């Protein structure tokens, strides 16, 4: 490669001479071209120098030309500025010449303008003087129609001379005009007073009507003075006759006040209406003045009456009189609203728009009564307090009335009808704090009705003899239907009150706790129905305990007691289900029946110990028959109900009975059976199995327990729970060779209820302690929500701890079922409870007992309401012909 072959390479910005030389002399043989390369470089160098010299010379010539062009441009700019300055000077000279030419014209224009203004002012002054003279003449002759026209002209013309009052003549004229206006005002007022006081109205009506035109021209102050004088004159007699401290001014004569004013309005329409212009609305002003005076009178009368009431005087404010006066006042206000074309008061079933302006006569007089409506609310409280004992003592249905599965207790409809009328009345009187007070009174007596009427009628009550009085099935159904009706109507009542009360008080209206209390009564009613079946089954359990399971040599399809048990369950359940007209109630009843009968079955098994292998097999076959009976209770059982029965009966009893079927020899078989079927690591529960099998001595139990401890620690059983919920709730306590069960929900509740029973029967001698009742029933309900298979087990209905509140069984989807009361009383309360909520309770316990019972009913009701959603329906809804809550409030 030679230098001549790549001349463009040296023009590159990244040219590297070493790299180029290495490329030229890449081989020793290329050294022969050194001279040639040197010559080429010299030639290229000379060529480059020549190009540089040419470029420098060309650039020098170009710079000279640029300097010349810039100099030429500066000269041109200087000439331009000179010409502009000349033009500006010529423009100034021209403007000065034009100003000198038009100065005379401007002077003439200003002269013309001033002359025009002077002529206009003189003309207006002439008109003002003429109008003033005419006004003086017409006013002195009482020609008010002409005076009104002249006065309007004078007032308008005087407005143009406000800026000229510094001129003495104008100031004098302005003063004269003011004097005429004042004289006119006094003269017209004197004419009105003369006409009204001397009975000359009929002769002067036309003149007074024209005088009102003058008062209009005089302005708002003059018009207001005349209207005020007229109202005071017309009401002077009223204020004298109906003074608050006279008999005529008392509340008893309130109707005379309104009659007097109606006659006054009639007089106005017939005699005075033509005098005053319609735009003045004198009759409405008169009505407003009457309302203000009457309201002040009533406020004084009511405040004095309240002072006497506070001082304990015998003659105090009568509630009925107060209410009748208020009602008559509202009707009077409504009449004024209609007469003067204002928005009429909304009826009890309609609601005013938020943008609607309030009527000027709304509460114009009745506002004086509102602070004292608490007296009326107290009267409703007293009336309801009288009704509650009567409702409690009344029969649940009329003696001559046939029972219906959809009937409700008549007192419930009567109560809500009373609420409807009272609410409608109060909503017309006040939609503020008094309505909130009334809603609290409603809540108070809804609680009392749920406790003292409904709950009372489904409680087993001591009669002084044995046994205690047990409510009939029909009574329980009536209470259940009534609780459903009250729940629905209670919610509707809350909505209706919220819709009428003032916006700022809506949050204070709350009847949900009362609705939950009625739900709790429904829950207790279902449990009481289950109690009816349990009573029927008591002979069955006695027969079961007497068959001698430890003596059986062979098994059969089912034991002799099973047929009787199936028959009793089917007959009583069919009778009850035929009366339950809502599917959710039927499902709740069946779920609770399955739960409690299963508990009784386990309790009977415990009483039959020791249970042999043959006996356990027979019991397992009997449990299958029991399962079939439960599944056939409902005519069309759902899959969820079938699963519920399986979980409650089969999955609870089968592990226990299958474990009891295994012989203790070889011991490994029994231990393995326990770990497979019971599937927990609890040594205490394993001892219970041994006790049920009759292995009770320490000598016989020790080898089995040691073997159990070895096997449970094996890796294959590492995932087992520490304790089985079902067996953990079973407590085997030997008392004189007998067995009883003290286990309740979550274990610890059993001891709580046992101590409750002991304290009630021992220290209180059957009197009700609301604290122990609340803790027992609600702890059991709450614990039962979180656990499945922890029933109360017993064979004796006399032991409170053995008949405690059962846990809610699990429904489809893992939802907890319904938790009801205990066996005793059908509600999980001893007979002492009914003493606390029924008649004859101790004064020291009555109030606290009522509060606790109500709170427990609310808590159970809230839980029961939640659980019923799993039954495909909601509480208070469904197909029914019962009286609807809306009918109860309509």
């Amino acid at each position: 490669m030679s230098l001549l072959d790549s001349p463009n390479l040296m023009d590159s910005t990244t040219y590297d001479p070493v790299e180029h030389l290495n490329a030229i002399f890449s081989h020793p043989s290329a050294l022969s071209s050194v001279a040639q390369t040197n010559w080429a470089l010299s030639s290229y160098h000379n060529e480059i120098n020549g190009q540089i010299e040419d470029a420098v010379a060309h650039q020098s010539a170009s710079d000279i030309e640029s300097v010349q062009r810039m100099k030429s441009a500066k000269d041109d700019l200087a000439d331009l500025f000179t010409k502009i300055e000349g033009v500006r000077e010529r423009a100034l000279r021209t403007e000065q010449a034009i100003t000198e030419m038009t100065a005379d014209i401007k002077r003439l224009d200003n002269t013309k303008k001033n002359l025009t203004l002077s002529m206009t002012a003189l003309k207006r002054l002439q008109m003002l003087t003429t109008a003033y003279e005419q006004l003086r003449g017409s006013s002195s002759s009482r020609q008010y129609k002409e005076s009104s026209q002249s006065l309007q002209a004078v007032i308008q013309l005087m407005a143009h001379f406000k800026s000229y009052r510094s001129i003495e003549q104008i100031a004098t004229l302005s003063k004269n005009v003011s004097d005429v206006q004042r004289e006119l005002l006094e003269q017209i007022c004197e004419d009105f007073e003369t006409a009204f006081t001397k009975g000359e109205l009929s002769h002067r009506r036309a003149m007074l009507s024209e005088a009102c035109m003058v008062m209009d021209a005089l302005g708002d102050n003059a018009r207001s003075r005349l209207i005020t004088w007229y109202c005071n004159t017309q009401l002077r007699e009223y204020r004298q006759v109906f003074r608050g401290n006279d008999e005529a001014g008392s509340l008893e004569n309130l109707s005379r006040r309104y009659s007097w004013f109606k006659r006054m309005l009639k007089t106005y329409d017939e005699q005075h209406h033509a005098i005053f212009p319609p735009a003045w609305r004198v009759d409405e002003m008169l009505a407003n003045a009457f309302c203000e005076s009457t309201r002040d009178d009533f406020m004084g009368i009511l405040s004095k009456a309240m002072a006497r009431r506070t001082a304990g005087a015998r003659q105090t404010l009568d509630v009925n009189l107060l209410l009748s006066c208020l009602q008559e006042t509202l009707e009077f206000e409504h009449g004024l609203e209609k007469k003067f074309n204002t928005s009429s008061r909304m009826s009890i079933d309609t609601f005013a728009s938020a943008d609607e302006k309030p009527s000027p006569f709304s509460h114009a007089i009745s506002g004086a009564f509102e602070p004292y409506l608490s007296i009326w609310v107290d009267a409703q409280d007293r009336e309801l307090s009288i009704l509650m004992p009567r409702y409690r003592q009344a029969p649940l249905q009329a003696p001559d009335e046939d029972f219906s599965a959809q009937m409700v207790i008549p007192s419930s409809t009567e109560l809500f009808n009373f609420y409807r009328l009272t609410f409608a009345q109060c909503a017309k009187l006040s939609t503020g704090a008094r309505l909130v007070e009334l809603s609290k009174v409603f809540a108070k007596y809804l609680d009392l009705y749920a406790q003292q009427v409904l709950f009372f009628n489904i409680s087993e009550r001591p009669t002084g003899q044995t046994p205690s009085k047990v409510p009939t099935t029909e009574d329980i159904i009536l209470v259940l239907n009534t609780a459903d009706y009250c729940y629905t109507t209670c919610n509707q009542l809350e909505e209706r009150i919220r819709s009428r009360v003032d916006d700022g008080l809506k949050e204070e209206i709350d009847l949900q706790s009362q609705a939950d209390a009625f739900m709790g009564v429904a829950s207790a009613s279902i449990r009481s129905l289950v109690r009816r079946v349990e009573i029927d089954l008591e002979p069955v359990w006695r027969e079961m305990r007497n068959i001698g399971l430890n003596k059986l040599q062979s098994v059969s399809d089912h034991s002799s007691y099973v047929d009787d048990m199936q028959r009793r369950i089917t007959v009583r359940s069919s009778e009850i289900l035929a009366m339950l007209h809502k599917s959710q109630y039927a499902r709740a009843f069946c779920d609770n029946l399955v739960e409690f009968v299963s508990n009784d079955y386990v309790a009977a098994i415990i009483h039959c110990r020791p249970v042999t292998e043959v006996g356990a097999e027979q019991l397992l076959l009997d449990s299958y028959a029991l399962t079939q009976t439960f599944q056939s209770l409902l005519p069309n059982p759902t899959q969820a109900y079938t699963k519920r029965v399986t979980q409650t009966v089969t999955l609870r009893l089968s592990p226990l009975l299958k474990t009891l079927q295994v012989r203790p020899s070889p011991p490994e078989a029994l231990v393995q059976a326990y770990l497979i079927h019971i599937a927990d690591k609890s040594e205490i529960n394993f001892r219970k199995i041994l006790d049920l099998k009759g292995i009770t001595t320490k000598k016989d139990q020790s080898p089995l327990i040691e073997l159990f401890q070895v096997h449970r620690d094996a890796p294959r059983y590492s995932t087992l729970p520490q304790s089985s919920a079902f067996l953990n709730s079973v407590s085997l306590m030997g008392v004189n060779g007998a067995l009883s069960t003290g286990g309740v929900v979550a274990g610890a509740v059993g001891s709580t209820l046992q101590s409750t029973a002991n304290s009630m029967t021992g220290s209180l001698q059957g009197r009700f302690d609301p604290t122990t009742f609340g803790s027992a029933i609600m702890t059991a309900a709450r614990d039962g929500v979180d656990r499945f298979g922890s029933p109360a087990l017993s064979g004796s209905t006399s032991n409170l701890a053995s008949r405690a509140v059962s846990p809610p069984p699990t429904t489809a989807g893992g939802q907890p079922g319904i938790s009801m009361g205990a066996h005793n009383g059908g509600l999980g309360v001893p007979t002492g409870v009914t003493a606390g909520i029924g008649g004859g309770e101790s004064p020291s316990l009555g109030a606290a007992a009522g509060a606790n019972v109500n709170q427990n009913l609310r808590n159970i009701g809230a839980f029961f309401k939640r659980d019923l959603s799993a039954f495909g329906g909601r509480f208070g809804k469904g197909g029914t012909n019962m009286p609807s809550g809306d009918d109860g409030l309509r």
Side-chain angles (χ1 to χ4, degrees), residues 21 29 82 122 125 157 240 266-267 297 322 336 397 424 427 494 528 563 573 587 604 647 651 653 688 712 724 857 864:
L21 288 174
S29 60
T82 302
L122 289 173
L125 181 59
L157 290 171
Q240 292 174 352
K266 184 178 180 181
T267 301
D297 287 348
L322 175 69
L336 293 180
Q397 66 180 99
E494 178 183 350
S528 191
D563 290 334
S573 298
R587 170 67 190 278
Q647 290 177 334
L651 298 183
L653 296 178
K688 293 176 183 178
R712 72 177 180 182
S724 166
L857 288 176
F864 188 62

Side-chain angles (χ1 to χ4, degrees), residues 807-835:
T810 305
T811 61
Q815 295 296 325
I818 301 171
S819 174
M820 294 299 175
H823 208 64
N824 187 14
L827 297 172
V829 293
T831 55
V833 171
T834 60

Side-chain angles (χ1 to χ4, degrees), residues 274-300:
I275 298 176
F276 300 101
W280 286 17
R281 306 185 72 171
V282 175
D283 52 349
E284 185 173 345
M285 298 295 181
L286 181 62
N288 279 325
F290 172 81
C291 291
E292 291 177 3
S293 179
T294 306
R295 183 179 66 246
D296 293 341
D297 287 348
F298 287 167
M299 291 177 67

Side-chain angles (χ1 to χ4, degrees), residues 727-762:
L727 277 184
N728 193 51
S729 65
V730 176
S731 176
L732 306 180
M733 297 180 295
V735 182
N736 296 328
L739 289 173
S740 63
T741 58
V744 194
V745 180
V749 182
S751 59
T752 301
L753 294 182
Q754 182 65 58
S755 63
T756 300
N758 294 337
S759 63
M760 286 181 177
T761 57

Side-chain angles (χ1 to χ4, degrees), residues 319 323 327 348 373 375-384 387 391 414-430 434-435 437-442 445 493 497 500 888-890:
V319 176
L323 189 60
Q327 187 64 40
I348 189 64
L373 283 180
I375 301 175
W376 176 78
V377 175
D378 293 341
Q380 309 311 308
D381 191 326
R382 290 192 296 272
E383 187 169 351
L384 285 169
L387 289 176
Y391 289 161
E414 181 180 341
L415 175 65
F416 279 106
N417 185 59
F418 178 87
Y419 277 13
R420 178 184 64 83
L421 297 176
T422 307
F423 163 62
Q425 203 169 32
C426 185
K428 290 180 179 179
L429 307 180
S430 170
R434 304 291 87 77
L435 187 55
E437 289 181 12
L438 183 64
S439 71
K440 294 179 179 178
V441 172
F442 286 170
Y445 287 98
L493 177 63
I497 298 177
R500 293 306 307 274
L889 289 176
R890 185 167 297 140

Side-chain angles (χ1 to χ4, degrees), residues 130-283:
T130 303
Y132 169 73
E133 294 299 334
Q134 292 176 353
L135 176 61
R136 286 184 60 86
S138 60
S139 62
S140 60
S141 62
R142 285 179 166 77
Q143 297 177 1
Y144 291 127
K145 184 175 183 180
E146 291 77 6
S147 296
S148 66
Q149 297 174 356
S150 300
L151 180 60
Q152 292 177 9
V154 168
I155 292 174
Q156 292 177 1
L157 290 171
M158 279 301 301
H160 297 287
F161 291 95
K162 288 183 178 180
S163 58
Y164 301 105
R165 289 185 178 178
S166 58
I167 302 174
E168 182 180 355
Q169 291 79 1
I170 300 297
T172 302
L173 182 60
S174 176
K175 181 178 180 300
N176 293 337
V177 170
S178 299
D179 293 341
V180 170
Q181 289 178 337
R182 184 168 55 256
E183 291 172 1
L184 267 176
L185 176 60
E186 298 299 333
Q187 180 177 305
I188 292 173
C189 290
E190 182 180 350
D191 290 342
F192 266 92
E193 186 174 355
T194 301
F196 276 89
T197 56
K198 294 184 179 182
E200 300 176 358
L201 186 62
S202 58
H203 302 293
R204 298 191 177 190
R205 184 175 290 111
M207 183 191 69
L208 296 179
S209 177
E210 294 174 353
C212 289
M213 299 170 62
V214 177
M215 300 298 277
D216 255 337
L218 288 174
D220 294 337
N221 291 334
R223 183 169 57 248
S224 299
R225 175 179 171 179
L226 180 59
I227 294 174
T228 302
W229 171 86
Y230 173 78
C231 293
N232 290 335
T233 301
Q234 299 303 307
L235 295 177
R236 184 180 298 117
E237 179 185 358
Y238 168 76
R239 290 165 179 162
Q240 292 174 352
V241 174
F242 297 99
R243 285 182 298 180
N245 56 350
D246 292 341
E247 181 180 356
S250 63
L251 292 179
E252 288 82 353
N253 293 315
L254 177 137
S255 58
R256 292 179 57 191
R257 292 175 178 264
Y258 299 146
S259 298
W260 184 94
F261 185 72
K262 290 176 182 177
R263 291 194 300 270
M264 174 57 62
L265 286 180
K266 184 178 180 181
T267 301
Y268 174 85
D269 293 336
E270 293 175 352
Q271 301 178 17
H272 306 165
H273 177 73
I275 298 176
F276 300 101
W280 286 17
R281 306 185 72 171
V282 175
D283 52 349

Side-chain angles (χ1 to χ4, degrees), residues 34 37 147 378 405 411 434 472 490 502 544 558 687 690:
V34 171
T37 302
S147 296
D378 293 341
S411 61
R434 304 291 87 77
T472 65
C490 186
D502 296 341
M544 177 181 174
H558 55 265
R687 289 178 181 273
L690 298 181

